[in-house]
Amino acid sequence: MIQFEGLHHVSLAVRDLKKAKVFYSEVLKFQELPRPPFASKGVWYAVGDQQLHLLEHPISDTLRERGIDTTDGHFSIWVKSYRETKEWLDRMDVEYVAKPDSVAGFAQVFVLDPDRNIIEFGAKYGS
């Protein structure tokens, strides 16, 4: 049997690494981590105890073209405050879908990165 210790990282394909770095570093304020000297272009970020790895694929048929679809593949980040997260996204002019009373059992906010990867921010109700 596999004995899991936790999720280490999520990797996402991006078409333009510079554009993606602006979104993740400057808009979302993720902390960049050192990355080994792989032959590929990419960037690593700390997200709490886990990591997000972005890998540049300028020509990729695996990236989404549609808008926010909360039933589509995505990753979720737990945040301290639903309200403050929405306020920040508003200040940064990031479009989102908010579900303050989600049947998931917690509040949810969904956004798209520049390559239309879906990111969910989850928080306790009333936070």
Side-chain angles (χ1 to χ4, degrees):
M1 180 168 107
I2 299 172
Q3 296 183 18
F4 300 104
E5 291 187 359
L7 184 65
H8 181 265
H9 72 269
V10 172
S11 291
L12 295 178
V14 299
R15 290 183 180 96
D16 182 335
L17 189 61
K18 287 181 184 179
K19 188 175 181 180
K21 283 182 75 169
V22 168
F23 182 77
Y24 285 95
S25 296
E26 297 177 23
V27 175
L28 296 184
K29 300 293 186 186
F30 283 16
Q31 177 190 358
E32 192 170 336
L33 296 171
R35 182 177 182 265
F38 295 115
S40 62
K41 289 183 180 179
V43 63
W44 289 4
Y45 291 104
V47 185
D49 292 334
Q50 288 75 42
Q51 297 178 16
L52 172 64
H53 297 178
L54 303 181
L55 302 168
E56 187 173 69
H57 285 275
I59 302 171
S60 177
D61 58 356
T62 62
L63 295 171
R64 308 175 73 255
E65 297 295 333
R66 297 186 317 269
I68 297 173
D69 177 349
T70 62
T71 65
D72 208 345
H74 62 277
F75 69 97
S76 180
I77 298 170
W78 198 252
V79 296
K80 289 183 181 180
S81 172
Y82 171 79
R83 179 185 52 78
E84 289 176 9
T85 299
K86 281 183 46 193
E87 288 172 359
W88 177 258
L89 294 171
D90 286 336
R91 278 198 303 271
M92 299 306 293
D93 200 29
V94 175
E95 186 177 332
Y96 58 84
V97 170
K99 296 186 173 191
D101 301 313
S102 173
V103 297
F106 52 89
Q108 299 169 295
V109 180
F110 294 86
V111 302
L112 293 175
D113 76 1
D115 289 289
R116 308 193 78 64
N117 292 303
I118 300 171
I119 306 164
E120 173 189 345
F121 296 104
K124 294 179 185 175
Y125 287 134
S127 64

